[in-house]
Amino acid sequence: MKHLISPLDFSVEELDQLLSLAQDIEHHPSKYSNICQGKKIATLFYEPSTRTRLSFEAAMLNLGGSVLGFSSANSSSAAKGESVADTIRVISCYADIAAIRHPKEGTAFVAASKSGIPVINAGDGGHQHPTQTLTDLLTIKSLKGGFENLTIGLCGDLKFGRTVHSLINSLSRYRGISFVLISPRELRVPDYIRENVIEANHIPYQEVESLDSAMPNLDILYMTRVQRERFFNEEEYLRMKDCYILDKEKMKLAREDMLVLHPLPRVNEISVDVDDDPRAVYFKQAQYGVYVRMALIITLLKEAGRLC
Ligand code: NCD
């Protein structure tokens, strides 16, 4: 059975098909409005979420299907000590597909190994977040036309930011990509990403601390929030939390066609005065998240033989 646990679970070709399907859905939504009639998605969220959970639910409703699930560990039997492995076995009897978010790295992988239905990783701790990556890729493809020869700046908490890890994994497969990794020393990309993904694929990259000096060369600036919930102590978080603030002044340093992406939620790292800049596409990005999750649900249900 095909699941989406890591961004590499889809080949470049499969990814291309998925993104084309998402674009077709965007332009012809009525063609798809009943395709999942009678199908159910279970959203199993053991960690807070607004966009990811609700965009999965909106995606299934847009396809004519229905949703069930929980939005916190406390309101599920996890509070009584049930394992994720047992929960997913049971959910397999109730739903056709499941999206799971959990604070512990590797949970979606374990769930998939015990599941009778396709499992989608909606974020596992500070590890991966492949559907945010699909959202980011659809945004880039739609607004830049493709992925080749782009210089991508990733800024903020590159250590704990799972969306960053997944995006690097995925983009490393395209020609002419280069990365500028902008973070304080303490929040640099983990070694396993730098060595096993960026260096192993011979991707040109720089690790820098200054956002100002990086700005003029970027095609995409991917801003991220400092991930408070993954810090071991609050003091360290308070010291780091405002390490980068993108504002109107800084945007003057950027190219006319640079795009600003952010997986959201934003805290302080993008000043609201940037929102009106046509290069700020993070709210548009959230809309693309619905189309791409619709495409993903269709693709995985078809693979599982649950949709003709
Ligand atoms: C991200 C996440 O949960 O990792 N949010 C999201 O799904 N759009 C980013 C974040 O929380 O900072």
Side-chain angles (χ1 to χ4, degrees):
M1 173 137 21
K2 190 150 178 91
H3 306 280
L4 177 61
I5 306 304
S6 140
L8 302 180
D9 288 344
F10 284 106
S11 67
V12 170
E13 224 168 60
E14 288 171 325
L15 207 54
D16 223 49
Q17 280 170 13
L18 187 94
L19 298 177
S20 300
L21 176 57
Q23 288 183 317
D24 196 55
I25 290 170
E26 178 188 0
H27 297 115
H28 310 283
S30 58
K31 244 168 82 182
Y32 299 90
S33 60
N34 279 317
I35 196 169
C36 285
Q37 204 167 15
K39 305 296 167 202
K40 296 181 218 98
I41 188 166
T43 51
L44 314 177
F45 277 62
Y46 297 82
E47 246 195 358
S49 170
T50 299
R51 265 149 300 272
T52 306
R53 185 172 62 84
L54 296 182
S55 65
F56 266 117
E57 299 191 357
M60 190 49 136
L61 295 172
N62 289 347
L63 296 168
S66 13
V67 301
L68 63 160
F70 51 82
S71 56
S72 76
N74 286 342
S75 63
S76 80
S77 283
K80 301 180 189 170
E82 186 173 53
S83 69
V84 168
D86 283 1
T87 303
I88 194 73
R89 279 185 137 159
V90 173
I91 298 298
S92 300
C93 310
Y94 303 158
D96 300 280
I97 188 165
I100 180 167
R101 168 172 288 190
H102 198 281
K104 204 165 161 203
E105 289 78 5
T107 302
F109 178 79
V110 171
S113 71
K114 300 287 177 194
S115 176
I117 56 175
V119 171
I120 299 166
N121 181 5
D124 61 328
H127 188 216
Q128 300 282 353
H129 191 345
T131 65
Q132 181 62 46
T133 295
L134 295 180
T135 303
D136 304 338
L137 294 180
L138 181 61
T139 307
I140 297 172
K141 182 174 168 154
S142 301
L143 304 179
K144 281 279 181 202
F147 308 112
E148 295 190 348
N149 303 317
L150 294 176
T151 300
I152 320 262
L154 298 130
C155 178
D157 186 347
L158 310 187
K159 178 179 180 186
F160 295 117
R162 55 193 174 194
T163 64
V164 168
H165 307 159
S166 289
L167 187 58
I168 291 177
N169 249 300
S170 226
L171 285 174
S172 292
R173 302 189 290 182
Y174 296 93
R175 254 192 316 141
I177 286 282
S178 60
F179 293 120
V180 185
L181 307 173
I182 309 153
S183 75
R185 275 185 149 278
E186 295 85 341
L187 299 179
R188 280 186 183 168
V189 156
D191 290 347
Y192 78 93
I193 299 278
R194 206 187 44 252
E195 289 163 16
N196 304 348
V197 184
I198 303 177
E199 289 172 0
N201 287 296
H202 310 290
I203 312 281
Y205 76 98
Q206 285 170 269
E207 284 188 303
V208 301
E209 289 192 38
S210 161
L211 174 57
D212 286 24
S213 60
M215 285 288 270
N217 303 318
L218 304 178
D219 296 303
I220 307 273
L221 172 61
Y222 192 89
M223 292 297 293
T224 62
R225 157 184 87 89
V226 176
Q227 306 276 299
R228 179 180 204 157
E229 65 275 34
R230 314 233 184 268
F231 274 69
F232 294 113
N233 72 67
E234 182 72 3
E235 248 170 57
E236 186 72 354
Y237 166 72
L238 293 174
R239 202 164 63 78
M240 294 286 142
K241 75 181 173 78
D242 292 327
C243 53
Y244 298 102
I245 298 179
L246 180 66
D247 57 18
K248 241 186 170 137
E249 274 308 298
K250 279 202 172 44
M251 286 299 286
K252 290 186 184 154
L253 303 169
R255 291 185 190 157
E256 290 279 291
D257 63 347
M258 186 195 80
L259 297 180
V260 184
L261 275 69
H262 189 309
L264 302 178
R266 120 176 94 183
V267 186
N268 276 334
E269 60 281 355
I270 302 181
S271 153
V272 291
D273 67 14
V274 176
D275 294 358
D276 295 332
D277 190 307
R279 296 168 291 183
V281 297
Y282 28 90
F283 290 113
K284 228 181 227 177
Q285 190 181 351
Q287 173 67 63
Y288 285 122
V290 178
Y291 304 134
V292 89
R293 289 184 173 95
M294 289 169 75
L296 178 64
I297 291 170
I298 293 173
T299 304
L300 291 179
L301 285 178
K302 278 197 172 154
E303 283 273 345
R306 286 176 179 259
L307 210 63
C308 336

